[in-house]
Amino acid sequence: QYIPMPVLYGVFLYMGVASLRGVQFMDRLKLLLMPPKHQPDFIYLRHVPLRRVHLFTFIQAICLAMLWILKSTVAAIIFPVMSDYPYSEKVPAINISMDLMEQEPFLSREKPPMFLERHTSC
């Protein structure tokens, strides 16, 4: 009737590890340990120097570690609150009268639109 928790954890672990294969961050982490002559031909390595790629990977790993540490503290409760901060700019509202839509629906016009007249043979 119920699925055991170790089975669920195993399925989620497998799905997580299997999804890491196509992630560029993981590819760049592998590049840190790989000698330059054995590196695969990634498109970003053609356009960006290897030192810049390693620098970006290092910065991204530091940010990931900071988020992980922050998530385990009491301050983690602040982040959902910060994302709901109201915007200061006023967005204009668009009011469309439904009476106009009922009087002249788009699909029951007698004459087709101009762009359809040129391309239809009927």
Side-chain angles (χ1 to χ4, degrees):
Q1 182 178 0
Y2 294 109
I3 299 174
M5 289 303 288
V7 173
L8 281 178
Y9 288 149
V11 168
F12 289 136
L13 178 67
Y14 173 77
M15 289 171 49
V17 171
S19 69
L20 290 178
R21 180 176 290 262
V23 176
Q24 190 185 83
F25 178 66
M26 296 307 295
D27 291 338
R28 286 187 277 115
L29 282 177
K30 287 183 214 171
L31 284 177
L32 288 171
L33 304 173
M34 198 178 299
K37 72 176 193 174
H38 295 294
Q39 291 177 354
D41 188 26
F42 292 128
I43 190 73
Y44 53 86
L45 291 178
R46 293 181 190 173
H47 301 289
V48 181
L50 188 60
R51 293 184 73 170
R52 290 271 183 177
V53 172
H54 289 333
L55 177 67
F56 181 70
T57 305
F58 179 71
I59 291 171
Q60 197 171 8
I62 294 294
C63 290
L64 179 64
M66 287 176 21
L67 281 174
W68 197 326
I69 291 169
L70 188 64
K71 184 183 89 80
S72 63
T73 64
V74 180
I77 194 70
I78 295 173
F79 284 100
V81 175
M82 287 175 42
S83 66
D84 292 336
Y85 188 76
Y87 294 107
S88 62
E89 38 184 85
K90 294 287 183 178
V91 178
I94 299 173
N95 295 323
I96 299 174
S97 173
M98 292 307 290
D99 295 332
L100 178 65
M101 298 293 284
E102 290 172 3
Q103 291 172 1
E104 189 176 338
F106 290 111
L107 297 176
S108 67
R109 292 182 181 171
E110 289 96 24
K111 188 175 179 182
M114 294 293 269
F115 67 92
L116 287 179
E117 287 178 355
R118 292 179 291 193
H119 301 292
T120 57
S121 60
C122 299

